[in-house]
Amino acid sequence: MIAFVPAALFFLLFCASARADRRRFQNAVLLGLTLICASVGVLFLLPGLPSPLDTIAMLLVFLVPSLGTLALGVFLIGNGLTMVRKEGSSPANLLSLAAGVGILALIALVVTVTDRGSHLVDSLVAGLVLLAGYVAFLFVCFLAYAYLYGRITVRGNVDYVVVLGSGLTGGEHVPPLLASRLEKGRRIHAAQLARGGPAPLLLASGGQGPGERVAEARAMADWLIARGVAREHVRLEDRSRTTDENLRFSRELMREEKPGYRCVVVTNNFHAFRAAMTARRAGVNGQVLGSPTAAYFWPSATIREFVAVFWEHRVVNLSICAAIAALTAVVAVVAVTT
């Protein structure tokens, strides 16, 4: 059982960090390290396992991730083609397609190029695999913890339900993506009223973007009122242009009206964890809940969110990538000179 001590330590750190604040990215990394250390612990147990448990454990540790990576590449390419067909070929919509092609290309490179007698090529490919492995590790951490974070439910009463804007269609109409957020907020509002709690204020957050005839907050408020929400239960924050501004300006409004406020923030499920990290930085007193998103839209949107999180922590991430590149260069030089 000593082999599982590192996994247990990382798990305790994860629990402590998540208990302190569930909106930290370090929670995701600690969860990932817990899973990796647990897998290593399983490897140490393999020699002592009876058949067929040893074979099953070997498959779980090695074969399943390998086949899963291949299947993921194929899935992402298929999803990318669906995105292009339904949403167009904008750079954001090409993310899942590009990720799938990149995964399959790296697999093909490893299979066809390595073990050909060139130490230089082997060193360069190994460095590329390490870089991809680091990014993949962070992505899996992000994905796993985002899933856990998405299981959060509202406990007790809140003073505000903040719904983040996401752009209008035709300059004034609420699109399906935003309607999903508004419906989630409306249901939270209705549920609190149904259990006898005080009426929370629905705070529609979003300014007027380029090409929009009205502020997003105005269109969102009209959508809520048209579906039965009392006008006096709706507030508008109509200055923001970004998620960071959504949360900062909403915080200012809530603090001004009720200094000891408690809130929940509503966005789409793929955006919930990153919005939660932004809310933490903005000093918003509340968790972030996600509303449903069309299944075909989710992979590309999730990749986009991960890229944004990776860049938000670019000092650490780029430093590690640079260290891997430098180590690869040293190994390649040694390979050429020997």
Side-chain angles (χ1 to χ4, degrees), residues 69-74 76-77 96-114 125 128-129 132:
T69 302
L70 180 62
L72 177 63
V74 174
L76 288 175
I77 290 176
S96 60
L97 179 61
V101 170
I103 289 172
L104 295 186
L106 182 60
I107 293 174
L109 182 67
V110 172
V111 171
T112 60
V113 173
T114 55
V125 172
L128 184 61
V129 170

Side-chain angles (χ1 to χ4, degrees), residues 160-163 201-205 235-237 250 253-254:
Y160 293 89
V161 180
V162 182
V163 183
L201 296 177
L202 276 159
L203 177 54
S205 178
R235 293 287 187 275
L236 276 68
E237 180 290 293
S250 295
L253 189 153
M254 290 185 289

Side-chain angles (χ1 to χ4, degrees), residues 3-22:
F4 290 96
V5 169
L9 291 176
F10 278 121
F11 182 70
L12 290 175
L13 289 173
F14 163 72
C15 292
S17 180
R19 180 179 176 82
D21 196 326
R22 289 177 286 187

Side-chain angles (χ1 to χ4, degrees), residues 21-25 149 152 162-164 205 242-252 254-255 261-267 271-289 305 309 312-313:
D21 196 326
R22 289 177 286 187
R23 302 172 296 177
R24 296 172 172 172
F25 186 66
Y149 187 85
I152 289 176
V162 182
V163 183
L164 304 184
S205 178
T242 65
T243 299
D244 182 65
E245 289 183 353
N246 284 144
L247 293 164
R248 286 193 293 109
F249 295 160
S250 295
R251 179 204 63 196
E252 292 173 5
M254 290 185 289
R255 278 184 174 176
Y261 75 91
R262 180 171 177 261
C263 75
V264 293
V265 180
V266 178
T267 184
H271 185 233
F273 182 37
R274 185 163 75 92
M277 289 188 286
T278 305
R280 178 175 178 267
R281 291 194 301 270
V284 174
N285 181 27
Q287 300 295 333
V288 180
L289 305 183
E305 293 299 301
V309 171
E312 287 172 3
H313 298 82

Side-chain angles (χ1 to χ4, degrees), residues 129-139 306 310 316-318 320-321 324:
V129 170
L130 281 175
L131 281 172
Y134 173 69
V135 175
F137 166 72
L138 290 181
F139 180 70
F306 169 71
F310 185 93
V316 173
N317 289 326
L318 294 182
I320 293 175
C321 289
I324 293 174

Side-chain angles (χ1 to χ4, degrees), residues 3-337:
F4 290 96
V5 169
L9 291 176
F10 278 121
F11 182 70
L12 290 175
L13 289 173
F14 163 72
C15 292
S17 180
R19 180 179 176 82
D21 196 326
R22 289 177 286 187
R23 302 172 296 177
R24 296 172 172 172
F25 186 66
Q26 75 178 36
N27 300 342
V29 175
L30 289 170
L31 178 61
L33 291 172
T34 299
L35 296 176
I36 287 180
C37 290
S39 298
V40 173
V42 171
L43 290 179
F44 277 101
L45 293 180
L46 285 179
L49 290 178
S51 182
L53 290 180
D54 56 346
T55 304
I56 294 174
M58 186 72 72
L59 289 175
L60 289 175
V61 174
F62 292 107
L63 187 58
V64 172
S66 300
L67 293 179
T69 302
L70 180 62
L72 177 63
V74 174
F75 167 77
L76 288 175
I77 290 176
N79 174 258
L81 295 175
T82 301
M83 279 291 293
V84 171
R85 186 173 68 254
K86 292 191 174 185
E87 302 288 339
S89 57
S90 68
N93 293 337
L94 294 174
L95 282 175
S96 60
L97 179 61
V101 170
I103 289 172
L104 295 186
L106 182 60
I107 293 174
L109 182 67
V110 172
V111 171
T112 60
V113 173
T114 55
D115 293 329
R116 301 289 181 176
S118 173
H119 297 302
L120 174 61
V121 172
D122 289 347
S123 300
L124 294 176
V125 172
L128 184 61
V129 170
L130 281 175
L131 281 172
Y134 173 69
V135 175
F137 166 72
L138 290 181
F139 180 70
V140 171
C141 291
F142 172 80
L143 199 63
Y145 189 72
Y147 174 81
L148 291 178
Y149 187 85
R151 309 279 75 76
I152 289 176
T153 57
V154 180
R155 295 180 179 178
N157 296 326
V158 296
D159 303 298
Y160 293 89
V161 180
V162 182
V163 183
L164 304 184
S166 66
L168 304 175
T169 56
E172 57 186 337
H173 302 296
V174 171
L177 196 73
L178 181 54
S180 175
R181 302 181 183 187
L182 290 166
E183 178 60 20
K184 176 84 171 184
R186 189 193 67 80
R187 290 184 179 182
I188 295 171
H189 174 270
Q192 183 162 314
L193 288 178
R195 63 174 179 263
L201 296 177
L202 276 159
L203 177 54
S205 178
Q208 185 172 350
E212 293 179 342
R213 298 191 185 98
V214 297
E216 292 174 23
R218 180 70 269 166
M220 294 161 69
D222 291 343
W223 190 97
L224 290 166
I225 293 168
R227 283 155 182 80
V229 178
R231 189 179 297 272
E232 61 269 22
H233 292 170
V234 180
R235 293 287 187 275
L236 276 68
E237 180 290 293
D238 57 5
R239 297 184 295 152
S240 55
R241 300 293 185 88
T242 65
T243 299
D244 182 65
E245 289 183 353
N246 284 144
L247 293 164
R248 286 193 293 109
F249 295 160
S250 295
R251 179 204 63 196
E252 292 173 5
L253 189 153
M254 290 185 289
R255 278 184 174 176
E256 182 178 342
E257 291 190 350
K258 188 168 185 177
Y261 75 91
R262 180 171 177 261
C263 75
V264 293
V265 180
V266 178
T267 184
N268 288 94
N269 50 15
F270 64 82
H271 185 233
F273 182 37
R274 185 163 75 92
M277 289 188 286
T278 305
R280 178 175 178 267
R281 291 194 301 270
V284 174
N285 181 27
Q287 300 295 333
V288 180
L289 305 183
S291 65
T293 306
Y296 76 87
F297 191 85
W298 186 85
S300 283
T302 300
I303 294 172
R304 184 171 68 246
E305 293 299 301
F306 169 71
V307 171
V309 171
F310 185 93
W311 189 248
E312 287 172 3
H313 298 82
R314 56 187 174 275
V315 174
V316 173
N317 289 326
L318 294 182
S319 296
I320 293 175
C321 289
I324 293 174
L327 177 62
T328 301
V330 171
V331 174
V333 170
V334 172
V336 171
T337 56

